Amino acid sequence: MTLFGFAASNLARRPARTILSILGIALAVGSAIALLGLGRALVDGVGGSLDERGVTLVATQRGGTDIFGGRVREGLAPQIAAIAGVQSVEGELFVFTTSPQGRLLVVAGWSRGSAAWREAPLAAGRLPEPGDQRSVLIGDVAAETLGVGIGDAIEIHDETFRVAGITRYRAMLNRGLVAMPLEVLQEVSFAPGQVTAFHVTLEPGLPLPKRAEVRAAIEAVGPLRASEAQDLFANLFHRDHAAPAEVDRLAN
């Protein structure tokens, strides 16, 4: 009997085990394909979101496990802004939570003077007024999914907010975003003085060697990883890890 014939005979002798093995392999392959597709969609979504908002560089926590889970000290922003070639720096806090309906929400905290507020493409309503601690902007897709409109209540971290405006971005991630003042999100998410990342805009026409110098200068400010927006995920998985004590110092 040939080796192939022996294998076929063995498989035919135990049909139940053979069927279960085939199903297991098919499930594993299907899961791997689904995870790859999800990862690609996340990369494209974040990249499109940053590109639409004109972000050039992103500075995140060095050694962080992912771009949304890290935390850096908001007070580092002036040191980054002082670097030659940097036009503006804006800290942003991202938080994942669920609505009372069980829907996943991506909530962003923007500082009061951030260009993100001024450049938000409003489809309806208005921006939160200065001093308004309980108003938010919501992307049109998120508003439709949650069934909310201008003036309606939305619950985030067991706190009630009102929809002041509905945005209509192009990037899908932005269309599902809920935005509120940074200090408010820091308070309700128990992250005082912290941001997820610094979005850095460089001076127009900065040559590539100078951009590299700016990234190095940003990383010298503290345990930060500075990445070109389009290379963010590539750098995330090819970075040096900071010592735990250094990371703790940055977050405190």
Side-chain angles (χ1 to χ4, degrees):
M1 179 180 290
T2 65
L3 180 61
F4 177 79
F6 177 77
S9 175
N10 188 41
L11 291 173
R13 192 165 56 249
R14 297 180 175 84
R17 186 185 69 176
T18 299
I19 292 173
L20 290 174
S21 297
I22 293 172
L23 289 176
I25 293 171
L27 181 62
V29 172
S31 299
I33 293 173
L35 287 173
L36 287 173
L38 180 62
R40 183 70 260 171
L42 179 60
V43 170
D44 292 343
V46 173
S49 170
L50 296 173
D51 181 66
E52 183 175 14
R53 294 173 52 191
V55 177
T56 312
L57 300 179
V58 180
T60 55
Q61 178 185 337
R62 188 188 307 155
T65 55
D66 61 81
I67 62 171
F68 297 110
R71 292 287 184 268
V72 293
R73 186 158 46 84
E74 182 186 2
L76 294 176
Q79 297 178 54
I80 298 175
I83 297 172
V86 171
Q87 186 176 70
S88 65
V89 180
E90 296 176 355
E92 188 163 341
L93 178 64
F94 284 99
V95 173
F96 288 89
T97 186
T98 55
S99 69
Q101 300 92 338
R103 301 282 187 175
L104 178 66
L105 292 178
V106 183
V107 187
W110 298 339
S111 59
R112 292 287 183 178
S114 171
W117 291 112
R118 300 190 301 272
E119 298 171 3
L122 284 177
R126 58 171 178 79
L127 296 177
E129 296 176 353
D132 188 348
Q133 301 290 307
R134 284 294 178 266
S135 291
V136 299
L137 295 183
I138 185 170
D140 58 333
V141 170
E144 182 178 353
T145 300
L146 296 176
V148 297
I150 302 300
D152 289 343
I154 180 173
E155 192 171 304
I156 299 171
H157 282 299
D158 296 323
E159 299 279 348
T160 300
F161 297 86
R162 294 285 173 182
V163 175
I166 297 175
T167 57
R168 183 169 292 142
Y169 288 96
R170 296 188 309 275
M172 187 54 66
L173 180 62
N174 291 337
R175 296 182 70 182
L177 197 68
V178 178
M180 66 174 63
L182 176 59
E183 72 275 11
V184 178
L185 185 57
Q186 288 172 333
E187 179 183 354
V188 300
S189 63
F190 303 102
Q194 297 183 346
V195 295
T196 303
F198 291 109
H199 293 172
V200 182
T201 302
L202 300 181
E203 294 175 355
L206 210 63
L208 289 178
K210 182 60 179 177
R211 292 166 76 104
E213 291 177 12
V214 172
R215 293 199 304 273
I218 291 173
E219 294 181 353
V221 168
L224 297 168
R225 171 62 65 191
S227 308
E228 297 280 347
Q230 65 269 26
D231 298 331
L232 180 59
F233 279 89
N235 286 346
L236 177 67
F237 297 107
H238 297 85
R239 63 183 183 273
D240 298 324
H241 291 273
E246 192 177 15
V247 173
D248 289 341
R249 178 180 64 79
L250 179 64
N252 296 323

